[in-house]
Every structure is written in structure tokens, then in C-alpha cells.
Amino acid sequence: MVYKIADNITSPLGTTTGENYEAVKASRSALVHHVGQMGIPEPFCASLFSDEQIKTMHVEGLTRFESLVVSSVRQALEGIPFDISGSDVVFLLSTTKANVELLDDDAVSSTDFPGESALRICQALGIATTPIVVSNACISGLHAIITGCRLLEGGQYAHAIVCGADVLNRFVISGFQSLKALSDQPCKPFDMERLGLNLGEAAATIVLSVEPSKESRPWGILSGVVRNDAYHISTPSKRGDGAYLCLKEALQGVNINDIAFVNAHGTATMFNDQMESVAIERAGLGDVPVNALKGHFGHTLGAAGVLGTLLSMYSIDDYTVLGTKGFEELGVSGKIRMSSTNEVTEKGCFVKMISGFGGCNAAVVAGRVTSDELRVRSDELRVTSDGVRVIRGKVRITPESVMLNSQPIEGLGHGKELLTGLYKKYVNDYPKYYKMDGLSRLGFIASELLLHGERGFKTETCDKEDATFGQCAIVLFNHSSSICADQQYLESIQDKDNYFPSPSLFVYTLPNIVTGEIAIRNGFHGETAFYILPERDEEVMRQVEETTLLDTNINCMITGWIDFEDDEHFEADLRLI
């Protein structure tokens, strides 16, 4: 069992979790209509830090993003009972784009990469171990909590500091505008008249430990699951297959009658809210209150999962089910119980669910537990991996060579031509390949080669008509994130007089899209995860891979290193386990 022992939320509504909770309970919102901000020609509605707040949080030598993270973590760490410089402490940073506002298409430096940013944050805080960046689109925050819990449950560390954060800039806002996903008015989650989402800035930190706090009923993370829709990289499954699987598996061993509410993602977009409502009803939670927080903060991207989890904990401590700001009349087909007003509850646990681009979904069940309950639930819910890891295949691709199961594949060209040659020889039946960015093409080809000699394996584990099959995990690591796609997208917004943000390019600026492409191709509904490290670290990669296998529903895994800086600098070194 893993416990929450400290926390912080820093947002435009406050600099502590308590201040933010009281603001939400009082129905306050930080969403403001902006015109002409950041050189963006279209108006938008967002929650932004004021200049004074930014100045107060500033840490010398760090960027605005990094200062926000350090400020939140420092407040969370006040009074904690352990030394954060120890080898038993891991730092996980959840973010979608980190310092992307610093990128210049003429001068890209590795210091702009999220892993390097996480390293500077650790140095400022005094954390000595290698940081892990979870970059899994909108589920990053919740996924980071799940990863932290697994690393602790697996005995790799005793404490995990998880911080989710993102700041808004021209890159991010223009991208969501290109997708026609933003509303220039305050959002209305699950409402009949919802028009789209708003964005927001925030940092949220949760400190996890294998040792509970001294409270009589400490907060425990009871379960956590990540699953993929295997449907589309930017549109959720109509039946909510991935979200449903997350809820179904996370709720195993949990009495639904003990659940106070479901804190949904609730982006106020047409497809997300519809999908979530169907998944909630399918999971048997139709009579459980549902709420969403986007009407107060907007969508805070990498912070969203941590922020929602913490505010849900505080609301249960206050015997309250928070209402959903902006909601008036149900506008989804799933039969769920929404309310715009706060309600009283005596129940002690909740479900947090979230979904994101790349088809990824996550769900966590957390609750206040007594020592007796804790012992029973720990025995019931702690998962162990008793299986044997067998490497079924290995592939390594660089601009100069290809090695498949230690045998070279030759005569297919160099660089970009090499990847296209591999596609034409070994695949050649998936035209969408030509729409992918370089990172996704590299991952797609590498996974096809891995599975090429395992057709029996694919037949056994994949059934696109049944979301209960295909529980293959895809767990990838790199250093440069999605830098090549970032640069290409920047070109579409550089010239104010020729401003044409590209929706197709923007989606691929999320590095986890490569995992979504592989899942869709193969019908894999297992966990998909993308991690960014300061540099390749085999020990950290092994830790994450092994603890992912604590999820006993995972029957296989494609994992390894995949980095794509440009057509002449890339590497895929993957294994099928």
C-alpha cells in the first residue's frame, strides 16, 4: 500500500491545496477571456498566472516552468519526515510540453528537453536520484502517480515526489485552437451546450510513501490502471473502451457503495464527455455522483491528474462532493449523475479518471483507511508479478543499420530512406504511415519488425472487436521528446502574417502518440506509456519496466529506447517481452 503524506497545489486560485479547495468549494473560477494575448490572433478563455504571481515564484537560474515546479514541490515538502537527498527518493515530473516556449527553430539545445529540465529541478531541490518525466498527454499526472506507487510497491524506492505542471504559451494554445477544441467562453463540462475546453496553468505535487502519515485514517492509493483505446490518436473510442477497462480493473476488490464520487476528466469537448459518460455507466457507476473541475482551472494538462486527485481528497475530508461549475443540463447519452451544486457525503473513497490523445486512459481509486482496513486491502489489492520475463525479439534501428534478433537487414538505404525501405519491404499495407511524424514512423517500423516473426503471438493476443483482449503494454523511453515534430509545428506559427497552425502536426508534438499508433495498428488495449530521461539510463528503465509488470493483466510488453531528433539522428532499440 502507498500513502499520500504531503501535497501542494499552486494555481491562479491559490498557492496551497487548502486555498484552492476553498476557492473551488465557493465556486470561484480563474478562467478569463483573453484577446490579443501571446500574439495569438483568435480570442481564448484560460486560467493564467498574473505577472505578480510569476514574479513571486521565480527561482534564479530557472525558467518560468521550472520555477513553478520548484515552488510547488518546496511547499509540499515542508515538514516531511525524510531526507529527500537519499537514494530511496524518486522524483517524477508529469508534463506535456515543459519548456517548449523556449524552443527556437534555428537553435535547438538539449537543455530545452524535458529530461534536462527535470534534472535542473532536482538540483535546485536537492534530489540526488535520476528524475523520470512522464509525458503521456493529458493522463500524465495520474499516470505519474501510478508509476510512483509501483516503484514504491516494487521496493525500488521508499518515497516518491510527483509533480504535475504545465504553463501556457503560443505553441500550446494555438495547437488546441487548430484542433477546434477550445471555447472562448468558460467551459461547461457534460452540459447540453458545451462548446469546448479552456486551458490553464498550474502545478500540483503529491508526496507518496510506503510509510503512512500519523493520521488515524491516512490516505492510501488503493489501485491504479492505464489502458489504451486502440482506436484513434486524437478521438476517444465511442464506447469508451480504454476508460471502461481502467474503471473495471481499478474497481476490482472495491465496494462501489463505498465510493463518494467519480472525478471525471470532463474537458467539455463533445467527444470526451460523451465517451466518459458511456464508460462510467458501463462500469456500473451510473448512480455514483460525478464531478469535473475544468470550470475552475481549465485543463491544466500535465497537472490535471494530480490536481484532481488532491482536491478530491480534500473534499472527502470536508464530507463534500463538489459540484461541477458550468454544468446545467446533461448533454451526454451515458446515464450518469451530475450536479452543479455541492453535496454532503460520509463515504471515504473516490475514483479519479482521465483520458488523453494517443488513446491513453487512466483511473485511480483512493481512500481514507483505518489500520485494520489497510491491512485487509493491502493483502487484497497489492499486485505481484510471478511470471517469467522472456525476450521474444529484439530490434535496433539507426540511420546506418538495422539489426533484427542479432541479424543485419541490409540494402535499404540510409536515414529517412532506410525507414521507408523497411516499410515498403515488411509492411506496405498501412498508408497512414506516411502521415506520421519521424518518431512515430520509427516506433511503428521497429514494432512491426519485432512482431513480424510473431504472427501467432499477434493472433493470440489481439482481437480488435473485443476490448478485453490485446493486453500488451507499450513502454518507451527517450531523451529528446518530440523535438522534430515540435520544430515542424513551430514553422506553422512563426510568421504572424502567415499564421496557419497545423492540427495534424500539433498532435504529433506529443511524444506518446507513437505508442498510440502502435496500439491502433495491433489492437493492443494494454498500458501505453512514454517516459523521458536526462540521458539513457538502463537501470531506471529496468525499474519502470519491471514495476509495470506488477499489473498482472499485462501479458506482454514492447519496451526500450526510441529517440528521433531528425532524419539523420535517430535510434530505436526495442524488445518484445
Side-chain angles (χ1 to χ4, degrees), residues 8 115 176 208 396 422 481-482 538 546:
N8 170 265
F176 277 92
L208 303 170
R396 185 171 187 269
L422 287 168
S481 185
S482 51
E538 296 292 343
E546 288 190 355

Side-chain angles (χ1 to χ4, degrees), residues 230-444:
Y231 176 72
H232 193 275
I233 61 171
S234 60
T235 302
S237 162
K238 295 177 182 178
R239 298 178 67 244
D241 289 335
Y244 163 69
L245 281 175
C246 285
L247 292 173
K248 176 186 174 184
E249 293 175 22
L251 289 168
Q252 290 180 6
V254 177
N255 187 338
I256 289 179
N257 293 325
D258 292 338
I259 298 172
F261 57 86
V262 177
N263 180 240
H265 192 28
T267 61
T269 55
M270 295 304 294
F271 293 127
N272 176 87
D273 293 8
Q274 168 64 18
M275 175 277 292
E276 282 195 291
S277 74
V278 172
I280 291 169
E281 184 182 12
R282 285 180 68 192
L285 297 169
D287 294 327
V288 175
V290 178
N291 63 16
L293 299 168
K294 300 295 187 291
H296 304 275
F297 303 96
H299 185 357
T300 53
L301 304 174
V306 185
L307 181 149
T309 299
L310 292 176
L311 289 177
S312 295
M313 290 176 173
Y314 271 60
S315 72
I316 283 185
D317 288 345
D318 192 33
Y319 305 100
T320 300
V321 178
L322 295 168
T324 299
K325 189 172 182 62
F327 173 79
E328 294 180 13
E329 182 181 357
L330 195 65
V332 292
S333 67
K335 295 178 177 60
I336 59 174
R337 182 182 159 195
M338 298 290 305
S339 175
S340 61
T341 58
N342 299 338
E343 302 177 20
V344 175
T345 184
E346 297 288 335
K347 297 180 179 181
C349 68
F350 67 90
V351 177
K352 170 62 189 165
M353 64 185 296
I354 201 162
S355 60
F357 288 159
C360 52
N361 302 268
V364 157
V365 179
R368 282 278 194 195
V369 289
T370 65
S371 57
D372 289 339
E373 290 173 326
L374 198 150
R375 183 170 58 253
V376 171
R377 293 188 184 188
S378 180
D379 292 340
E380 290 178 348
L381 297 173
R382 181 189 289 270
V383 290
T384 58
S385 178
D386 299 321
V388 178
R389 296 178 64 185
V390 178
I391 297 177
R392 299 283 292 267
K394 297 187 292 184
V395 63
R396 185 171 187 269
I397 304 174
T398 69
E400 296 80 24
S401 65
V402 182
M403 297 290 291
L404 177 61
N405 297 326
S406 302
Q407 298 297 316
I409 296 176
E410 300 175 341
L412 294 173
H414 178 276
K416 184 178 181 179
E417 293 179 359
L418 173 63
L419 295 181
T420 302
L422 287 168
Y423 169 78
K424 290 180 178 178
K425 181 173 181 178
Y426 290 99
V427 187
N428 211 33
D429 65 350
Y430 201 67
K432 189 186 175 186
Y433 167 83
Y434 293 102
K435 292 185 63 178
M436 298 179 191
D437 71 315
L439 182 65
S440 294
R441 288 186 181 188
L442 178 61
F444 178 84

